[in-house]
Amino acid sequence: MSRLLYGAHVAANAVRLHYLRYGGQGHPLVLIPGITSPAITWGFVAEKLAQYFDVYVLDVRGRGLSSSGDHLQYDTETCVQDILDFVEQLGLQEYYLVGHSMGARFAIRCASKQAKGLKKIVLIDPPVSGPQHRAYPSQLPWYVDSIEQSIQGMDAEEMKKFCPTWTLEQRQLRAEWLHTCYLPAIVKAFNDFHEVDIHQYIPDIAVPTLLMVAGKGGVIQAEDIQEIQALNANISVSHVENAGHMIPWDDEQGFYQAFEDFLGRHIV
């Protein structure tokens, strides 16, 4: 039986933000997906987390059913303000923020702003690219080509070219929803991976933080962990050794185990 309660929209930061709510009981947890992941693609994770938390999965602007179009801004600061306003509109007094990839970078910035009510953050394999840092390992054409093809229409078999290790179900869902990722929003986010120095905000994180590292992702290396912990010694680290960057897609059980008891519950 699904733990999805409903999908809804709120007006926040002068845009419409869509979200999916799962569970409805426990400590509120806001999940921010990555660069080309509409909220629904994280549904299988939200179903599990909803056994323990009141889960809200956000469609970042320019993705899914949230506002999109060339009249909007898609920079990091704007998207971070979306999250802060979103939480305020929902009336969440205390919450955890869990971000994957791009969403993890947003979580870092939210925490550095001493966001009201934010109690803990989980950073799932955040890109550590930026000025004076090596490039993000994925290439922009991978995103552009797949999105352009999805706009024309594509099926799970065609998606295999872009996501060869994914299951049929995973590829079907991505093929169905990828067209909702507005290409200029994706390009801006990708460019921000390289132009925004996310490291400058790490020392200002005051809430407990867990950095979850994909063993096969190539995004975070040992030297990156050392740098991050040198900037903020209160950041703890867990590893999912057999997973690539899309950790729960590659090793779902390992992903849940990597939370350990950081959020006060063992996810099994």
Side-chain angles (χ1 to χ4, degrees), residues 188-224:
K188 178 56 179 172
F190 184 87
N191 288 340
D192 273 10
F193 286 175
H194 300 89
E195 297 170 2
V196 174
D197 178 17
I198 205 67
H199 296 79
Q200 67 181 306
Y201 304 121
I202 292 175
D204 296 326
I205 299 174
V207 298
T209 300
L210 174 65
L211 173 66
M212 188 184 300
V213 178
K216 297 182 178 179
V219 175
I220 300 178
Q221 307 287 356
E223 59 268 26
D224 301 313

Side-chain angles (χ1 to χ4, degrees), residues 59 86 88 129 155 159 161 164 181 192 202 211 233 248 258:
D59 268 332
F86 171 74
E88 183 176 357
S129 46
D155 60 19
M159 183 59 73
K161 178 175 69 173
C181 294
D192 273 10
I202 292 175
L211 173 66

Side-chain angles (χ1 to χ4, degrees), residues 13 75-82 106 109 113 192 201:
N13 200 22
D75 58 281
T76 296
E77 289 299 309
T78 298
C79 292
V80 165
Q81 193 59 50
D82 284 352
F106 292 170
R109 185 67 178 118
K113 288 175 171 283
D192 273 10
Y201 304 121

